[in-house]
Amino acid sequence: MLNKIPVGHKSIDDYSSIIGFDYIQSLKQKASKINKLKILHLSSTAYGGGVSEMLYTLVPLMKSIGLDVSWQVITGDEEFFITTKNLHNGLQGADFIITDYMVKAYKRRSKENAKLLDTDADVIICHDPQTAAIPYFCDKLDKYKKTAWIWRCHIDLTCPHSSAVDLIKDYVNQFDGTVFSSPNYIKPELKTDNHYIVYPAIDPLSPKNMDISSHTINELLSKVGIKTDKPVLTQVSRFDPWKDPLGVIDVYREVKKDIDLQLLMVASMASDDPEGWHYFEKTARHAGNDLDIHLLSNVYGVGNLEVNAIQKISDVVIQKSVREGFGLVVSEALWKGKPVVGTNVGGIAVQIVDGDNGFLIENTTEAVQKILWLLSHKQQAIKMGKKGKQYVKQNFISPRNLMDIIDVIIDIAA
Ligand code: UDP
């Protein structure tokens, strides 16, 4: 058996002040078309990163509108996760190495997971490349032939390495439907006849995004040793080359030449990300002895509420990713009324309306200019932050994600 992930209770009715009664009614109505189906989400980790963040809200919200849904996590060892991380890198367009040995490890573990899968689900939504080969191996094992299989890919497929695509395309073709986070990610080899765009979303009521009082913020900050005596620039992201933490430090150093500020870098360690610690050390070395650079992590007590508080007290949030499937952190910051300076890539470009709720930048120099401008134009920065919150409310909150996923399931399986 694979591990079943317990999720807390959430009620869709609690969201009515944000999305309105009619939207909730229409969610419930649509859900009634598929409430006889059993639905399973299959992912590779229950902690760290955007997929688990989203599922902790999506799964209970699906339940709350009457759907029969659960979430299981596949098994994997270091060999498997190193292989899938390399595959992820190749799909995002980096040079990557996957040896024959690694391919065998991927197949072996996928087959093992297919054997362990024990479900009566009518619809299985597999997240990301880690789970992409499971329907293929289930088919070989003569299992779940009547199941509707959906692949939801969360990574940036703007310019994938063709050999990475070759490695999974036959597996992806086994699915009944594919879901991507941006129209730019649809590649002929990696889609099925039924393919959809669903933007990921944040939960406005979760501990990470809910309103918290200034008193609580102060308590949380003092617990993790953060003061607000200098302007705050923040990036919340795993320590990972794709998130360019070293580049963030370079930007901060340039800004500091004109305005004395501090940099908060918050990074959780994901269990399916073997590179995390290695990159943490690299980032720490690059930061050197600068006492205004704070490297914070879940391992040192920076959990959801602390991330919330840190985003709330930030003056500017930066997201300097080289590629970004979506980047929930951008919506999280915008939701807190913070202008975001982000690279013009993948999902960041979907969320930032340049010059309106933040700035899209191409390089370090532009990032420095925009951050300096925001730090020295407080009123304009506040206005942009307000627009950002509105934009997220309209486009990137969890009830909308729920609506889109229900539409996909209705289309494929009802
Ligand atoms: N996150 C967190 N603590 C951290 C770093 C990240 O809780 O120290 C969360 C972050 O708030 C966001 C998710 O992890 O909800 C990251 O999702 P995103 O889509 O931005 O990036 P991914 O890690 O999936 O590439």
Side-chain angles (χ1 to χ4, degrees):
M1 286 271 282
L2 296 176
N3 253 347
K4 189 171 172 188
I5 306 304
V7 290
H9 169 80
K10 284 184 195 283
S11 165
I12 192 69
D13 297 323
D14 292 343
Y15 295 73
S16 64
S17 62
I18 302 172
I19 50 166
F21 180 74
D22 290 349
Y23 198 86
I24 293 178
Q25 284 312 102
S26 114
L27 274 170
K28 288 180 179 169
Q29 232 162 34
K30 279 198 179 168
S32 67
K33 295 185 189 169
I34 51 170
N35 61 9
K36 300 271 178 316
L37 298 176
K38 289 185 194 308
I39 302 161
L40 171 68
H41 287 273
L42 209 53
S43 76
S44 64
T45 176
Y47 190 75
V51 177
S52 51
E53 176 78 20
M54 224 167 51
L55 289 178
Y56 276 113
T57 292
L58 185 61
V59 173
L61 281 187
M62 289 175 92
K63 281 182 199 248
S64 120
I65 52 172
L67 298 179
D68 185 346
V69 58
S70 58
W71 172 17
Q72 293 182 20
V73 164
I74 58 167
T75 63
D77 49 17
E78 206 184 346
E79 201 176 51
F80 176 77
F81 286 128
I82 288 174
T83 307
T84 55
K85 183 77 203 253
N86 284 4
L87 181 56
H88 173 114
N89 290 345
L91 289 170
Q92 292 212 136
D95 286 337
F96 73 113
I97 300 169
I98 292 201
T99 59
D100 289 349
Y101 180 75
M102 287 166 146
V103 173
K104 278 189 191 141
Y106 179 69
K107 288 185 180 172
R108 194 169 51 241
R109 183 56 67 163
S110 299
K111 189 171 174 184
E112 188 62 25
N113 280 316
K115 274 188 198 156
L116 289 170
L117 183 63
D118 182 10
T119 174
D120 52 2
D122 305 291
V123 181
I124 302 183
I125 304 175
C126 293
H127 295 266
D128 279 339
Q130 293 93 326
T131 57
I134 293 188
Y136 172 88
F137 285 105
C138 281
D139 194 57
K140 292 258 166 260
L141 294 166
D142 235 0
K143 287 169 83 174
Y144 309 130
K145 288 191 176 261
K146 290 200 176 123
T147 304
W149 291 90
I150 297 169
W151 188 52
R152 187 167 182 184
C153 180
H154 298 267
I155 62 186
D156 185 338
L157 291 174
T158 311
C159 316
H161 226 284
S162 58
S163 46
V165 171
D166 288 345
L167 277 173
I168 57 161
K169 65 179 188 209
D170 291 343
Y171 298 134
V172 172
N173 288 335
Q174 291 276 321
F175 284 86
D176 299 290
T178 36
V179 179
F180 302 95
S181 303
S182 160
N184 295 336
Y185 301 165
I186 298 180
K187 301 288 156 229
E189 308 86 344
L190 279 188
K191 69 172 178 60
T192 49
D193 290 341
N194 302 309
H195 54 275
Y196 310 84
I197 305 302
V198 177
Y199 295 121
I202 62 160
D203 181 351
L205 301 184
S206 71
K208 186 171 289 166
N209 298 309
M210 66 189 190
D211 273 339
I212 40 176
S213 68
S214 335
H215 175 72
T216 310
I217 292 177
N218 290 338
E219 273 187 356
L220 291 164
L221 291 180
S222 79
K223 194 185 102 189
V224 294
I226 300 298
K227 293 194 185 119
T228 48
D229 50 350
K230 290 182 184 180
V232 176
L233 174 67
T234 299
Q235 175 159 300
V236 177
S237 271
R238 289 178 292 107
F239 288 121
D240 177 312
W242 291 113
K243 313 284 184 183
D244 196 16
L246 307 189
V248 171
I249 293 176
D250 295 340
V251 168
Y252 150 84
R253 286 199 171 122
E254 286 303 309
V255 175
K256 203 173 177 74
K257 288 179 185 165
D258 286 325
I259 297 181
D260 189 19
L261 79 169
Q262 51 184 328
L263 172 64
L264 309 188
M265 301 184 76
V266 192
S268 57
M269 300 297 172
S271 61
D272 64 344
D273 181 7
E275 272 181 332
W277 282 109
H278 166 69
Y279 227 71
F280 174 80
E281 277 174 35
K282 225 172 154 169
T283 309
R285 274 200 298 276
H286 198 62
N289 288 327
D290 187 335
L291 296 179
D292 282 332
I293 302 180
H294 300 268
L295 303 187
L296 302 154
S297 155
N298 58 322
V299 180
Y300 306 120
V302 179
N304 290 329
L305 269 175
E306 289 77 11
V307 170
N308 186 342
I310 287 169
Q311 286 168 330
K312 278 216 165 79
I313 54 103
S314 299
D315 293 282
V316 180
V317 168
I318 179 168
Q319 193 57 39
K320 206 177 171 301
S321 310
V322 180
R323 291 265 188 278
E324 191 59 75
F326 185 72
L328 288 176
V329 282
V330 173
S331 277
E332 287 167 6
L334 293 172
W335 178 249
K336 283 148 199 143
K338 304 300 163 181
V340 180
V341 174
T343 24
N344 189 10
V345 297
I348 300 178
V350 170
Q351 298 169 81
I352 296 180
V353 182
D354 191 32
D356 199 54
N357 59 14
F359 291 105
L360 288 170
I361 49 104
E362 303 289 344
N363 52 43
T364 299
T365 312
E366 281 184 26
V368 173
Q369 281 167 358
K370 299 303 179 193
I371 293 167
L372 282 171
W373 188 86
L374 286 165
L375 289 176
S376 48
H377 293 79
K378 290 255 158 70
Q379 288 312 315
Q380 282 97 324
I382 290 171
K383 268 192 197 153
M384 288 177 108
K386 281 189 180 149
K387 286 188 181 169
K389 178 157 191 169
Q390 211 42 39
Y391 197 62
V392 170
K393 185 175 171 182
Q394 279 155 6
N395 298 288
F396 308 123
I397 51 172
S398 32
R400 200 271 312 133
N401 186 25
L402 178 61
M403 183 76 94
D404 289 356
I405 278 298
I406 293 174
D407 282 338
V408 171
I409 298 172
I410 291 175
D411 208 34
I412 290 183

